[in-house]
Amino acid sequence: MKICRILMLAAVGAPLPLAAQQTYTIKGSVGKLNPPAKAYLSYRVNGERILDSTEIRNGQFRFSGKAVGTREAHILVKHSIEEHNPVTRPQEDVLAFFLEDRTITITAKDSIHNAVIKGSPTQDDNLKVTAMLKPYYDKYEPLNREFKEQPESKQKDSAYIASLEQRADAIAKEIVSVKMKYAKANPGKYMSLMAFNSTLPPEFDAVQAEKDFLALSEDIRNTEFGKTVRDKILKVKKTQEGSPAPEFALNDVNGQPVKLSDFRGKYVLLDFWASWCAPCRRENPNLVKAYDAFKDKGFTILGVSLDKPGDKDKWLEAIRKDGLPWTHVSDLKAWESEVAKLYDVNAIPMNFLINPDGKIIAKYLRGGALEEQLKKVLH
Protein backbone atom coordinates (compact mmCIF):
# COMPACT_ATOMS: atom_id res chain seq x y z
CA MET A 1 0.00 0.00 0.00
CA LYS A 2 1.29 3.44 -0.83
CA ILE A 3 0.19 6.15 1.58
CA CYS A 4 2.46 9.15 1.35
CA ARG A 5 3.49 10.98 4.65
CA ILE A 6 4.30 13.58 4.31
CA LEU A 7 15.44 39.59 8.63
CA MET A 8 18.30 40.19 7.71
CA LEU A 9 19.35 42.75 10.40
CA ALA A 10 20.05 46.23 9.12
CA ALA A 11 23.74 46.98 9.02
CA VAL A 12 23.86 50.04 11.27
CA GLY A 13 26.23 51.29 13.88
CA ALA A 14 29.98 50.88 14.26
CA PRO A 15 32.07 48.17 12.54
CA LEU A 16 32.27 46.08 15.70
CA PRO A 17 28.55 45.19 15.90
CA LEU A 18 28.59 44.56 12.15
CA ALA A 19 31.42 42.07 12.59
CA ALA A 20 29.48 40.35 15.33
CA GLN A 21 26.59 39.78 12.95
CA GLN A 22 28.93 37.89 10.60
CA THR A 23 29.64 35.08 13.01
CA TYR A 24 27.68 32.38 14.75
CA THR A 25 28.23 31.04 18.24
CA ILE A 26 26.73 27.85 19.57
CA LYS A 27 26.71 27.39 23.33
CA GLY A 28 25.88 23.79 24.13
CA SER A 29 25.07 21.89 27.28
CA VAL A 30 24.35 18.18 27.52
CA GLY A 31 24.09 16.58 30.96
CA LYS A 32 27.36 16.19 32.85
CA LEU A 33 29.43 14.65 30.08
CA ASN A 34 33.22 14.87 30.17
CA PRO A 35 36.03 13.70 27.87
CA PRO A 36 36.29 11.48 25.94
CA ALA A 37 32.74 12.64 25.02
CA LYS A 38 32.80 14.92 21.96
CA ALA A 39 30.40 17.06 19.94
CA TYR A 40 30.53 17.30 16.16
CA LEU A 41 28.97 20.13 14.13
CA SER A 42 28.31 19.59 10.42
CA TYR A 43 26.63 21.61 7.67
CA ARG A 44 27.16 22.32 3.97
CA VAL A 45 28.29 25.45 2.17
CA ASN A 46 28.01 25.44 -1.62
CA GLY A 47 27.75 21.66 -1.53
CA GLU A 48 30.92 21.23 0.54
CA ARG A 49 30.56 19.58 3.92
CA ILE A 50 31.94 21.60 6.84
CA LEU A 51 32.80 19.58 9.95
CA ASP A 52 33.95 20.87 13.34
CA SER A 53 34.43 19.04 16.62
CA THR A 54 35.15 19.81 20.25
CA GLU A 55 35.46 18.04 23.60
CA ILE A 56 32.60 18.21 26.09
CA ARG A 57 33.69 19.25 29.59
CA ASN A 58 31.30 19.40 32.52
CA GLY A 59 28.53 18.99 29.97
CA GLN A 60 29.55 22.17 28.12
CA PHE A 61 30.71 22.64 24.53
CA ARG A 62 31.02 25.58 22.18
CA PHE A 63 31.29 26.21 18.44
CA SER A 64 31.87 29.45 16.57
CA GLY A 65 32.52 30.36 12.96
CA LYS A 66 32.20 32.93 10.20
CA ALA A 67 28.97 33.88 8.49
CA VAL A 68 27.26 31.04 6.62
CA GLY A 69 23.72 32.35 6.29
CA THR A 70 20.73 30.31 7.41
CA ARG A 71 21.07 26.60 6.67
CA GLU A 72 20.30 23.18 8.06
CA ALA A 73 22.94 21.74 10.37
CA HIS A 74 23.48 18.78 12.69
CA ILE A 75 25.22 18.28 16.00
CA LEU A 76 26.25 14.73 16.79
CA VAL A 77 27.28 13.84 20.32
CA LYS A 78 29.44 10.83 21.02
CA HIS A 79 29.00 10.02 24.65
CA SER A 80 32.13 7.86 24.66
CA ILE A 81 34.92 6.98 22.28
CA GLU A 82 35.40 3.26 21.94
CA GLU A 83 37.27 0.92 19.64
CA HIS A 84 35.19 -0.36 16.72
CA ASN A 85 33.19 -3.38 17.76
CA PRO A 86 30.93 -5.24 15.31
CA VAL A 87 28.49 -6.05 18.13
CA THR A 88 28.27 -2.74 20.01
CA ARG A 89 28.79 0.85 18.93
CA PRO A 90 29.68 3.98 20.89
CA GLN A 91 26.60 5.77 22.16
CA GLU A 92 25.86 8.80 20.00
CA ASP A 93 22.84 10.94 19.24
CA VAL A 94 22.05 13.67 16.72
CA LEU A 95 20.21 17.00 16.70
CA ALA A 96 19.02 18.62 13.47
CA PHE A 97 18.56 22.39 13.70
CA PHE A 98 18.87 25.66 11.76
CA LEU A 99 22.22 27.39 11.97
CA GLU A 100 22.16 31.21 11.72
CA ASP A 101 24.59 34.08 12.21
CA ARG A 102 23.55 34.46 15.83
CA THR A 103 24.30 33.20 19.31
CA ILE A 104 22.36 29.97 19.72
CA THR A 105 22.03 28.02 22.95
CA ILE A 106 21.36 24.29 22.91
CA THR A 107 20.48 22.67 26.22
CA ALA A 108 19.86 18.99 26.90
CA LYS A 109 19.55 16.99 30.11
CA ASP A 110 20.91 13.76 28.61
CA SER A 111 20.34 13.32 24.87
CA ILE A 112 21.15 16.13 22.42
CA HIS A 113 18.29 14.78 20.32
CA ASN A 114 15.87 16.18 22.90
CA ALA A 115 17.60 19.54 23.31
CA VAL A 116 15.87 22.90 23.71
CA ILE A 117 17.14 25.47 21.21
CA LYS A 118 17.05 29.21 21.80
CA GLY A 119 18.34 32.18 19.84
CA SER A 120 17.37 30.99 16.35
CA PRO A 121 14.28 32.69 14.87
CA THR A 122 14.19 30.12 12.06
CA GLN A 123 14.20 27.29 14.57
CA ASP A 124 11.28 28.97 16.36
CA ASP A 125 9.44 29.26 13.04
CA ASN A 126 10.14 25.61 12.37
CA LEU A 127 8.45 24.61 15.62
CA LYS A 128 5.43 26.76 14.78
CA VAL A 129 5.07 25.28 11.30
CA THR A 130 5.50 21.74 12.65
CA ALA A 131 2.75 22.35 15.21
CA MET A 132 0.54 23.90 12.54
CA LEU A 133 0.93 20.86 10.26
CA LYS A 134 0.62 18.16 12.93
CA PRO A 135 -3.21 17.91 12.85
CA TYR A 136 -3.06 17.29 9.12
CA TYR A 137 -0.29 14.68 9.25
CA ASP A 138 -2.19 12.99 12.10
CA LYS A 139 -4.99 12.28 9.62
CA TYR A 140 -2.83 9.55 8.07
CA GLU A 141 -2.86 7.47 11.25
CA PRO A 142 -6.54 6.38 11.05
CA LEU A 143 -5.90 5.23 7.47
CA ASN A 144 -2.89 3.17 8.54
CA ARG A 145 -4.84 1.73 11.47
CA GLU A 146 -7.80 0.92 9.24
CA PHE A 147 -5.53 -0.90 6.77
CA LYS A 148 -3.86 -2.99 9.51
CA GLU A 149 -7.24 -4.04 10.87
CA GLN A 150 -8.39 -5.48 7.54
CA PRO A 151 -8.12 -9.20 6.72
CA GLU A 152 -5.30 -10.14 4.40
CA SER A 153 -7.68 -10.60 1.47
CA LYS A 154 -8.94 -7.01 1.88
CA GLN A 155 -5.40 -5.68 2.18
CA LYS A 156 -4.70 -7.12 -1.27
CA ASP A 157 -7.91 -5.84 -2.83
CA SER A 158 -6.94 -3.30 -5.52
CA ALA A 159 -10.23 -1.37 -5.26
CA TYR A 160 -9.81 -1.00 -1.50
CA ILE A 161 -6.16 0.08 -1.87
CA ALA A 162 -7.22 2.62 -4.49
CA SER A 163 -9.82 4.07 -2.10
CA LEU A 164 -7.20 4.41 0.66
CA GLU A 165 -4.77 6.11 -1.70
CA GLN A 166 -7.49 8.48 -2.83
CA ARG A 167 -8.14 9.51 0.77
CA ALA A 168 -4.41 9.80 1.41
CA ASP A 169 -4.03 12.00 -1.67
CA ALA A 170 -6.78 14.28 -0.34
CA ILE A 171 -4.81 14.69 2.91
CA ALA A 172 -1.64 15.42 0.95
CA LYS A 173 -3.42 18.17 -0.96
CA GLU A 174 -4.59 19.71 2.33
CA ILE A 175 -0.99 19.72 3.58
CA VAL A 176 0.27 21.38 0.40
CA SER A 177 -2.47 24.01 0.70
CA VAL A 178 -1.52 24.80 4.31
CA LYS A 179 2.18 25.08 3.44
CA MET A 180 1.51 27.38 0.50
CA LYS A 181 -0.80 29.55 2.62
CA TYR A 182 2.00 29.92 5.18
CA ALA A 183 4.58 30.74 2.50
CA LYS A 184 2.38 33.42 0.92
CA ALA A 185 1.63 34.99 4.29
CA ASN A 186 5.31 35.01 5.35
CA PRO A 187 7.39 35.77 2.22
CA GLY A 188 10.38 36.98 4.23
CA LYS A 189 10.83 33.85 6.38
CA TYR A 190 13.31 31.10 5.59
CA MET A 191 10.72 28.53 6.68
CA SER A 192 8.47 29.74 3.87
CA LEU A 193 11.18 28.69 1.42
CA MET A 194 11.44 25.30 3.15
CA ALA A 195 7.66 24.85 3.15
CA PHE A 196 7.36 25.87 -0.50
CA ASN A 197 10.14 23.51 -1.60
CA SER A 198 8.49 20.59 0.20
CA THR A 199 5.37 21.06 -1.96
CA LEU A 200 7.30 20.35 -5.18
CA PRO A 201 7.00 16.70 -6.27
CA PRO A 202 9.34 15.17 -8.90
CA GLU A 203 6.94 16.40 -11.60
CA PHE A 204 5.34 19.81 -11.03
CA ASP A 205 4.01 22.85 -12.86
CA ALA A 206 7.23 24.84 -13.12
CA VAL A 207 5.53 27.91 -14.57
CA GLN A 208 3.26 28.23 -11.52
CA ALA A 209 6.09 27.24 -9.17
CA GLU A 210 8.24 30.05 -10.57
CA LYS A 211 5.46 32.58 -9.85
CA ASP A 212 5.12 31.28 -6.27
CA PHE A 213 8.90 31.35 -5.82
CA LEU A 214 9.14 34.95 -7.03
CA ALA A 215 6.50 35.92 -4.43
CA LEU A 216 9.09 35.18 -1.72
CA SER A 217 11.32 38.05 -0.64
CA GLU A 218 14.50 38.68 -2.61
CA ASP A 219 16.65 38.02 0.47
CA ILE A 220 15.12 34.56 0.88
CA ARG A 221 15.38 33.75 -2.84
CA ASN A 222 19.06 34.69 -2.80
CA THR A 223 20.02 32.35 0.04
CA GLU A 224 22.07 29.32 -0.95
CA PHE A 225 19.05 27.06 -0.60
CA GLY A 226 16.90 29.59 -2.43
CA LYS A 227 19.23 29.37 -5.42
CA THR A 228 19.01 25.58 -5.28
CA VAL A 229 15.21 25.75 -5.40
CA ARG A 230 15.35 28.27 -8.24
CA ASP A 231 17.63 25.98 -10.27
CA LYS A 232 15.29 23.03 -9.69
CA ILE A 233 12.34 25.03 -11.00
CA LEU A 234 14.26 26.22 -14.06
CA LYS A 235 15.35 22.66 -14.86
CA VAL A 236 11.78 21.38 -14.82
CA LYS A 237 10.52 24.44 -16.70
CA LYS A 238 13.04 23.80 -19.47
CA THR A 239 11.45 20.45 -20.36
CA GLN A 240 7.89 21.09 -19.22
CA GLU A 241 5.03 20.43 -21.61
CA GLY A 242 4.55 23.49 -23.79
CA SER A 243 8.22 24.55 -23.55
CA PRO A 244 10.49 24.66 -26.62
CA ALA A 245 12.65 21.52 -26.75
CA PRO A 246 16.29 22.56 -26.12
CA GLU A 247 18.37 22.35 -29.28
CA PHE A 248 21.41 20.08 -29.49
CA ALA A 249 23.62 18.29 -31.99
CA LEU A 250 25.20 14.83 -31.63
CA ASN A 251 26.91 12.42 -34.00
CA ASP A 252 24.97 9.47 -35.38
CA VAL A 253 26.24 5.89 -35.74
CA ASN A 254 28.34 6.96 -38.74
CA GLY A 255 29.90 9.93 -37.00
CA GLN A 256 27.76 12.49 -38.84
CA PRO A 257 26.29 15.41 -36.84
CA VAL A 258 22.53 15.38 -36.32
CA LYS A 259 20.57 18.33 -34.88
CA LEU A 260 17.21 18.09 -33.16
CA SER A 261 15.98 20.89 -35.39
CA ASP A 262 16.59 18.64 -38.43
CA PHE A 263 13.29 16.99 -37.49
CA ARG A 264 11.25 20.21 -37.43
CA GLY A 265 7.92 19.66 -39.19
CA LYS A 266 7.42 16.18 -37.72
CA TYR A 267 6.32 14.74 -34.43
CA VAL A 268 9.51 13.29 -32.97
CA LEU A 269 9.97 11.16 -29.89
CA LEU A 270 13.28 12.03 -28.24
CA ASP A 271 14.12 8.70 -26.59
CA PHE A 272 16.91 8.37 -23.99
CA TRP A 273 18.08 4.77 -23.59
CA ALA A 274 21.20 2.55 -23.49
CA SER A 275 22.18 -0.96 -24.53
CA TRP A 276 22.91 -1.84 -20.88
CA CYS A 277 19.48 -0.65 -19.66
CA ALA A 278 17.18 -3.67 -19.27
CA PRO A 279 13.96 -1.61 -18.85
CA CYS A 280 14.90 0.29 -22.02
CA ARG A 281 15.36 -2.91 -23.97
CA ARG A 282 12.00 -4.20 -22.71
CA GLU A 283 10.37 -0.96 -23.82
CA ASN A 284 11.86 -1.02 -27.33
CA PRO A 285 9.17 -3.33 -28.82
CA ASN A 286 6.54 -0.72 -27.85
CA LEU A 287 8.53 1.96 -29.66
CA VAL A 288 8.91 -0.22 -32.74
CA LYS A 289 5.15 -0.86 -32.79
CA ALA A 290 4.36 2.88 -32.54
CA TYR A 291 6.98 3.75 -35.15
CA ASP A 292 5.60 1.24 -37.65
CA ALA A 293 2.04 2.48 -37.09
CA PHE A 294 2.76 6.21 -37.47
CA LYS A 295 6.01 6.60 -39.46
CA ASP A 296 4.03 7.44 -42.61
CA LYS A 297 1.90 10.01 -40.79
CA GLY A 298 4.57 12.51 -39.82
CA PHE A 299 6.12 10.70 -36.84
CA THR A 300 9.67 9.54 -36.17
CA ILE A 301 12.00 8.74 -33.28
CA LEU A 302 15.43 10.11 -32.39
CA GLY A 303 17.28 7.77 -30.06
CA VAL A 304 19.88 9.24 -27.69
CA SER A 305 22.08 6.53 -26.21
CA LEU A 306 23.70 6.85 -22.79
CA ASP A 307 26.10 4.05 -23.56
CA LYS A 308 29.51 4.17 -21.95
CA PRO A 309 32.82 5.24 -23.50
CA GLY A 310 34.23 2.41 -25.56
CA ASP A 311 30.87 0.64 -25.86
CA LYS A 312 29.97 1.72 -29.37
CA ASP A 313 29.86 -1.90 -30.58
CA LYS A 314 27.36 -2.79 -27.83
CA TRP A 315 25.25 0.23 -28.80
CA LEU A 316 25.21 -0.75 -32.47
CA GLU A 317 24.48 -4.40 -31.65
CA ALA A 318 21.50 -3.39 -29.47
CA ILE A 319 20.12 -1.28 -32.32
CA ARG A 320 20.45 -4.23 -34.70
CA LYS A 321 19.14 -6.87 -32.31
CA ASP A 322 16.09 -4.82 -31.20
CA GLY A 323 15.33 -3.74 -34.78
CA LEU A 324 15.33 0.02 -34.23
CA PRO A 325 15.25 1.60 -37.71
CA TRP A 326 15.18 5.26 -36.72
CA THR A 327 18.05 7.75 -36.28
CA HIS A 328 20.38 7.16 -33.34
CA VAL A 329 22.92 9.56 -31.83
CA SER A 330 25.30 9.49 -28.87
CA ASP A 331 28.47 11.01 -27.47
CA LEU A 332 29.12 7.74 -25.60
CA LYS A 333 29.59 9.56 -22.30
CA ALA A 334 26.93 7.65 -20.34
CA TRP A 335 25.54 9.85 -17.53
CA GLU A 336 28.03 12.58 -18.42
CA SER A 337 26.20 13.14 -21.70
CA GLU A 338 25.65 16.87 -22.19
CA VAL A 339 22.27 16.21 -23.82
CA ALA A 340 21.11 14.11 -20.85
CA LYS A 341 22.11 16.98 -18.57
CA LEU A 342 20.40 19.47 -20.88
CA TYR A 343 17.12 17.55 -20.53
CA ASP A 344 17.72 16.76 -16.84
CA VAL A 345 17.55 13.02 -17.49
CA ASN A 346 18.39 11.16 -14.26
CA ALA A 347 16.89 7.77 -15.12
CA ILE A 348 16.18 5.82 -18.28
CA PRO A 349 14.15 4.98 -20.24
CA MET A 350 12.98 8.58 -20.58
CA ASN A 351 11.39 10.26 -23.56
CA PHE A 352 9.91 13.55 -24.75
CA LEU A 353 7.33 13.91 -27.53
CA ILE A 354 8.02 17.06 -29.56
CA ASN A 355 5.53 18.58 -31.99
CA PRO A 356 6.32 19.90 -35.51
CA ASP A 357 6.92 23.39 -34.06
CA GLY A 358 9.62 22.06 -31.74
CA LYS A 359 7.63 22.21 -28.50
CA ILE A 360 7.44 19.43 -25.92
CA ILE A 361 3.84 18.18 -25.70
CA ALA A 362 4.28 15.05 -23.54
CA LYS A 363 6.96 13.02 -21.82
CA TYR A 364 7.65 9.63 -20.23
CA LEU A 365 5.29 7.78 -22.55
CA ARG A 366 5.59 4.08 -21.66
CA GLY A 367 3.77 1.00 -22.93
CA GLY A 368 0.74 1.88 -25.04
CA ALA A 369 0.70 5.51 -23.86
CA LEU A 370 2.80 6.63 -26.84
CA GLU A 371 0.36 5.15 -29.37
CA GLU A 372 -2.60 6.68 -27.55
CA GLN A 373 -0.94 10.10 -27.60
CA LEU A 374 -0.08 9.82 -31.28
CA LYS A 375 -3.68 8.88 -32.10
CA LYS A 376 -4.77 12.16 -30.54
CA VAL A 377 -2.36 14.36 -32.48
CA LEU A 378 -2.16 12.43 -35.76
CA HIS A 379 -5.79 12.02 -36.73
Side-chain angles (χ1 to χ4, degrees), residues 44-273:
R44 290 187 179 276
V45 176
N46 296 322
E48 180 182 352
R49 186 183 182 212
I50 308 298
L51 181 64
D52 197 0
S53 64
T54 186
E55 288 186 337
I56 302 176
R57 293 184 177 276
N58 298 319
Q60 308 295 307
F61 64 89
R62 184 186 182 99
F63 291 106
S64 62
K66 293 184 178 180
V68 294
T70 304
R71 67 195 59 239
E72 293 180 89
H74 294 82
I75 287 181
L76 179 150
V77 171
K78 287 191 175 182
H79 292 243
S80 63
I81 308 298
E82 301 175 2
E83 294 292 330
H84 175 70
N85 186 312
V87 179
T88 62
R89 295 186 301 174
Q91 182 186 359
E92 56 187 51
D93 62 316
V94 181
L95 170 71
F97 69 107
F98 287 97
L99 180 61
E100 302 185 71
D101 302 331
R102 296 170 174 271
T103 297
I104 301 172
T105 61
I106 297 176
T107 307
K109 292 182 179 180
D110 44 24
S111 169
I112 197 74
H113 177 72
N114 299 318
V116 174
I117 304 169
K118 294 184 178 180
S120 166
T122 302
Q123 191 68 33
D124 295 340
D125 290 338
N126 180 48
L127 292 176
K128 293 176 183 177
V129 172
T130 299
M132 178 181 67
L133 291 171
K134 186 178 183 303
Y136 298 92
Y137 280 107
D138 285 348
K139 292 183 179 183
Y140 284 116
E141 187 52 39
L143 295 186
N144 289 329
R145 187 167 55 248
E146 176 188 325
F147 176 77
K148 293 176 182 178
E149 292 173 351
Q150 302 303 315
E152 185 176 354
S153 59
K154 188 72 174 290
Q155 291 180 352
K156 295 180 179 180
D157 181 83
S158 59
Y160 173 66
I161 297 302
S163 72
L164 279 181
E165 292 185 351
Q166 187 175 24
R167 285 182 279 168
D169 288 343
I171 297 171
K173 289 179 180 178
E174 279 190 283
I175 292 172
V176 168
S177 177
V178 172
K179 289 179 178 179
M180 288 304 302
K181 184 177 180 180
Y182 173 85
K184 291 177 180 179
N186 300 276
K189 290 184 178 291
Y190 191 84
M191 276 308 302
S192 291
L193 175 65
M194 299 289 292
F196 166 69
N197 178 66
S198 68
T199 69
L200 302 179
E203 295 290 337
F204 58 89
D205 182 348
V207 173
Q208 182 60 51
E210 185 176 41
K211 293 178 181 177
D212 293 332
F213 177 72
L214 291 174
L216 298 174
S217 71
E218 185 176 1
D219 289 343
I220 296 301
R221 298 199 309 269
N222 286 333
T223 61
E224 184 179 330
F225 186 57
K227 293 175 182 178
T228 298
V229 175
R230 177 202 63 196
D231 290 346
K232 177 166 67 172
I233 293 171
L234 293 179
K235 274 187 176 182
V236 173
K237 184 181 178 182
K238 187 168 55 178
T239 59
Q240 183 167 296
E241 295 175 17
S243 299
E247 173 70 307
F248 67 87
L250 280 179
N251 287 343
D252 64 12
V253 296
N254 298 313
Q256 297 301 310
V258 175
K259 295 187 296 182
L260 177 62
S261 57
D262 293 340
F263 298 86
R264 192 65 57 86
K266 287 187 173 183
Y267 284 92
V268 56
L269 185 76
L270 183 61
D271 179 52
F272 290 87
W273 73 297

Side-chain angles (χ1 to χ4, degrees), residues 296-346:
D296 296 326
K297 300 179 180 180
F299 170 71
T300 191
I301 299 175
L302 176 59
V304 179
S305 168
L306 300 190
D307 272 282
K308 305 171 186 176
D311 280 356
K312 183 175 181 178
D313 289 343
K314 293 180 180 179
W315 173 39
L316 298 180
E317 175 60 17
I319 294 172
R320 184 197 65 78
K321 188 172 182 180
D322 292 4
L324 313 179
W326 48 82
T327 303
H328 293 269
V329 296
S330 181
D331 53 13
L332 296 174
K333 293 182 179 180
W335 293 112
E336 294 304 310
S337 166
E338 293 303 320
V339 179
K341 293 178 181 179
L342 181 65
Y343 279 79
D344 196 31
V345 174
N346 300 305

